[in-house]
Amino acid sequence: MKRGVLAAVLCGLTLFACAAQAEISGQYTYQIEENGTVSITDFSWKEDQKDIYIPDILGGYRVTDIGEKAFARMADDHSDETINVVVPNGIKSIGEKAFMNAPVSGVSIPASVQQIGDGAFANCPISQFILESENAMYATIDGVLYNKMTKTLVAWPREKREGSVPEGIVEIGNYAVYGDTQIQGWIDQGWIDLIIDQGWIDLTTFIPSTVEKIGNYAFAKNKAKVSAYYDIKAASFGENVREIGEGAFQHCVLQVTDPMGRNDMIIGDGAFEDAIFHDLNNNIWEGTVKAKKIGDRAFAYSFLYNATLDDEIIEIGESAFVCNTNRMRILITTNSKLEKNGKGAFQYGEELGYQYGSVLPNDGETFVTPRKVKDLSDYSFSHAFRKEDDRETGVNFTPCRKIEVSEGTERIGNYTFEKNVLIESVTLPSTLTEIGVGAFQECPALTSISIPSSVKKIGDGAFDRATITLEVEQNSYAALWASENGYKYRYQGVTEDTSWLNP
């Protein structure tokens, strides 16, 4: 009896091992699932590929699933020839990015399909989706694919140039309008030379008032064609939109009004990365960014030439406004309610040789850090403050010369204020307990700084030893640290004895 049980177990394990093994039949790589059905995991494209009729049987097993990226291709990794795809009845699931970037111009989706993954048909040259009317989960309206259960725009055909999303839809799905979509025709080359062959979408008419969320990479440009941008004419993103997903408008040109967003909006990671903003007259946009939370790299390398961050913003993610070109100027007011700023939130790089930071002083020549931020994160204002006016480039601004770290701040992170060459004065609060590694390094104009006795930790190279004198309290941690690390220092509040000069 025990021997029979063991044999059955071994047999089952053998069958499971076989089921997990990839099989090949012609152009198809597939996997036999535990339930005895087949999932297509890969397709071998040919240079002279003809229309594809996906088989309903492979290896004697019924095909029920098209796996993630099974038919996907690299962008532009094909000729201008397009093909049709016929999906057989019996297919239940089409995986994420299953046909992404594939030269598919026509696809028929049977009633059996119950699940279509994000970006399944992203950047395919489809003019309309054809769907069997008996499908319980999905529907088409004017050739556009929607999820009936979640009231989500699943995929807008890339070659469909007119139309809009109907009222009642609550979400623009992940990758729904991704790629080289050409809605509402073409317009001439725009106001910046980088914009070529630009298509445009008027979000004020495209997105209905019922939409509450714009999904991940919903309108993002194909990264293989970063020199071609959408010109998204958006007086607003929809009056009820409260969430903009990850990468939703990457590599886009947006024509927006002031303000942009709303106080309860969540802006996802990389939502506007490498985006360009201009106003309704095609001039450089100047206005207020409104949100509750701004994600990591949300506006990284974007063209925000004169943007004010709304006082109601609570959280800003890592590298949210990182920039390495002279195309970003950010103002944070002294009334900001910001509570958290991520690592490198306003860091400015030198990769392209530019010499202008992105943060403006908020009080004359002084920058006052947000009053509710307790931890000024690593690199958050590294090289962030602008240099003098540049007559050659015409850059005009008030340079920042003083930093006032607000009361309540407990930590200045590693390299937080490094490489700000014009900073002459820094005021530290009585609540400060830590100054990180390299926090004020390469700030040659900063020759003196007073360190409160509350500071109990100072990182290596926090200041430029050759140029600075530290003002410290006697018997404080800062006094001991300065002495042990070879810094020039003097005691605060100590009057030098000059009585010996009197007769």
Side-chain angles (χ1 to χ4, degrees):
M1 186 70 172
K2 292 182 179 178
R3 192 181 311 168
V5 172
L6 179 60
V9 170
L10 291 174
C11 182
L13 291 174
T14 303
L15 288 173
F16 179 78
C18 292
Q21 184 176 350
E23 304 286 347
I24 297 177
S25 176
Q27 293 175 260
Y28 298 92
T29 299
Y30 62 93
Q31 180 173 300
I32 303 170
E33 305 296 342
E34 291 183 62
N35 62 2
T37 64
V38 160
S39 175
I40 296 174
T41 59
D42 194 23
F43 180 77
S44 179
W45 288 87
K46 297 179 179 179
E47 291 185 8
D48 59 343
Q49 184 67 54
K50 305 300 181 184
D51 290 349
I52 298 174
Y53 297 86
I54 297 175
D56 56 358
I57 299 290
L58 281 172
Y61 297 90
R62 181 167 295 279
V63 179
T64 59
D65 298 284
I66 298 173
E68 180 179 338
K69 298 182 180 179
F71 292 83
R73 303 192 69 173
M74 297 295 291
D76 293 336
D77 185 24
H78 52 78
S79 67
D80 293 332
E81 296 296 324
T82 60
I83 63 169
N84 294 309
V85 173
V86 176
V87 180
N89 196 28
I91 295 291
K92 295 181 179 180
S93 174
I94 300 175
E96 292 185 7
K97 303 178 183 177
F99 293 90
M100 189 175 195
N101 299 319
V104 176
S105 60
V107 60
S108 298
I109 301 173
S112 59
V113 172
Q114 302 169 11
Q115 175 65 39
I116 298 176
D118 296 339
F121 301 100
N123 204 37
C124 294
I126 294 173
S127 58
Q128 66 173 336
F129 288 96
I130 299 173
L131 178 75
E132 287 189 9
S133 58
E134 294 81 8
N135 192 295
M137 186 65 66
Y138 297 95
T140 56
I141 300 175
D142 295 330
V144 180
L145 187 61
Y146 298 93
N147 185 312
K148 293 190 290 187
M149 301 297 106
T150 61
K151 292 182 172 59
T152 298
L153 168 63
V154 175
W156 185 277
R158 198 187 82 178
E159 300 301 307
K160 182 177 175 61
R161 303 193 177 197
E162 295 181 352
S164 60
V165 178
E167 289 287 329
I169 295 299
V170 299
E171 181 176 342
I172 307 297
N174 298 341
Y175 294 91
V177 200
Y178 173 91
D180 297 321
T181 307
Q182 300 165 9
I183 301 173
Q184 296 188 9
W186 297 99
I187 60 176
D188 295 332
Q189 182 166 323
W191 60 278
I192 187 167
D193 291 339
L194 287 177
I195 305 171
I196 59 173
D197 292 338
Q198 72 186 64
W200 62 275
I201 304 170
D202 189 345
L203 294 190
T204 57
T205 57
F206 184 78
I207 298 179
S209 63
T210 50
V211 167
E212 299 175 357
K213 178 182 178 180
I214 298 175
N216 300 340
Y217 304 96
F219 293 92
K221 282 297 295 182
N222 190 309
K223 291 184 178 180
K225 294 185 176 180
V226 296
S227 61
Y229 291 79
Y230 291 138
D231 186 3
I232 298 181
K233 297 175 180 286
S236 67
F237 295 103
E239 60 187 66
N240 289 313
V241 172
R242 289 175 171 78
E243 182 176 351
I244 296 179
E246 178 179 342
F249 294 96
Q250 277 187 349
H251 313 299
C252 292
V253 176
L254 298 110
Q255 189 181 54
V256 297
T257 56
D258 182 31
M260 183 182 72
R262 48 185 292 165
N263 286 338
D264 59 351
M265 180 177 284
I266 305 298
I267 298 178
D269 296 347
F272 298 98
E273 187 171 0
D274 195 34
I276 296 176
F277 297 83
H278 59 98
D279 64 20
L280 301 184
N281 296 314
N282 285 340
N283 298 315
I284 294 174
W285 180 75
E286 300 183 14
T288 301
V289 176
K290 300 174 77 69
K292 178 181 179 181
K293 178 181 177 180
I294 296 175
D296 298 346
R297 299 183 65 83
F299 292 88
Y301 309 111
S302 63
F303 202 120
L304 280 171
Y305 199 68
N306 264 342
T308 299
L309 301 189
D310 186 75
D311 291 338
E312 301 300 316
I313 296 172
I314 301 295
E315 181 177 339
I316 294 176
E318 293 188 8
S319 303
F321 294 92
V322 67
C323 191
N324 64 0
T325 64
N326 182 32
R327 64 183 194 178
M328 187 181 291
R329 303 206 309 188
I330 301 295
L331 176 66
I332 308 170
T333 79
T334 54
N335 295 318
S336 173
K337 297 179 183 178
L338 188 68
E339 297 178 1
K340 179 181 178 180
N341 67 282
K343 180 178 178 180
F346 301 95
Q347 185 178 13
Y348 182 84
E350 299 179 77
E351 291 88 345
L352 300 182
Y354 292 91
Q355 298 298 314
Y356 309 101
S358 59
V359 179
L360 298 175
N362 49 28
D363 186 9
E365 294 185 342
T366 303
F367 175 73
V368 182
T369 64
R371 303 182 190 280
K372 292 190 174 184
V373 174
K374 293 183 178 182
D375 185 342
L376 294 172
S377 300
D378 300 351
Y379 295 95
S380 52
F381 294 98
S382 169
H383 196 210
F385 300 100
R386 291 177 164 260
K387 286 190 177 183
E388 300 278 9
D389 296 6
D390 190 312
R391 295 178 182 177
E392 293 182 3
T393 62
V395 176
N396 184 21
F397 52 85
T398 301
C400 183
R401 299 188 185 279
K402 301 178 181 179
I403 293 174
E404 180 182 318
V405 180
S406 294
E407 283 292 328
T409 303
E410 298 175 357
R411 177 180 181 266
I412 296 174
N414 300 331
Y415 310 102
T416 296
F417 292 104
E418 67 164 353
K419 299 181 180 180
N420 289 299
V421 298
L422 291 186
I423 299 300
E424 301 172 351
S425 171
V426 173
T427 302
L428 302 179
S430 61
T431 53
L432 190 67
T433 61
E434 180 180 346
I435 300 173
V437 174
F440 294 94
Q441 73 176 10
E442 296 187 54
C443 297
L446 183 62
T447 58
S448 177
I449 188 170
S450 179
I451 303 178
S453 59
S454 58
V455 172
K456 303 303 180 184
K457 182 178 181 180
I458 302 175
D460 293 342
F463 313 96
D464 292 338
R465 185 185 291 107
T467 57
I468 201 166
T469 298
L470 306 180
E471 295 185 9
V472 298
E473 293 190 20
Q474 293 189 56
N475 302 319
S476 67
Y477 169 85
L480 179 61
W481 183 87
S483 175
E484 290 180 345
N485 288 275
Y487 279 84
K488 292 179 288 184
Y489 66 95
R490 57 175 174 263
Y491 294 127
Q492 301 170 8
V494 175
T495 304
E496 293 180 335
D497 180 14
T498 59
S499 60
W500 58 275
L501 293 175
N502 298 322

